[in-house]
Amino acid sequence: SKMTKLITSRKSYTCHDCKGKINKGDKYKKTSKSIGSPDKWSAAGDGAGFIQHGFRYTVAICQNCS
């Protein structure tokens, strides 16, 4: 796995893994999670647009879990 640099937080977060608190000034890492297939698109049935089959979001992971 590639080494991810820890970031010093500028506000409080909750760790995505252990649900622990990440306080302002603590080190944490940001990681991207996805639901479904964000890279998969298909044409809408009415021909008026496209449908994305998922989305991506960012979560915070505390120093202990990372």
Side-chain angles (χ1 to χ4, degrees), residues 12-46:
S12 298
Y13 295 99
T14 302
C15 175
H16 181 74
D17 291 348
C18 72
K19 306 299 178 221
K21 212 147 168 49
I22 300 169
N23 297 309
K24 187 177 173 182
D26 288 354
K27 298 280 189 194
Y28 76 106
K29 108 180 165 172
K30 277 183 186 166
T31 185
S32 178
K33 303 273 184 193
S34 59
I35 293 176
S37 309
D39 297 326
K40 187 178 169 210
W41 292 79
S42 61
D46 58 7

Side-chain angles (χ1 to χ4, degrees), residues 29-65:
K29 108 180 165 172
K30 277 183 186 166
T31 185
S32 178
K33 303 273 184 193
S34 59
I35 293 176
S37 309
D39 297 326
K40 187 178 169 210
W41 292 79
S42 61
D46 58 7
F50 294 92
I51 300 164
Q52 188 177 15
H53 297 276
F55 67 94
R56 233 177 238 105
Y57 61 101
T58 306
V59 296
I61 307 289
C62 73
Q63 193 166 4
N64 293 337
C65 293

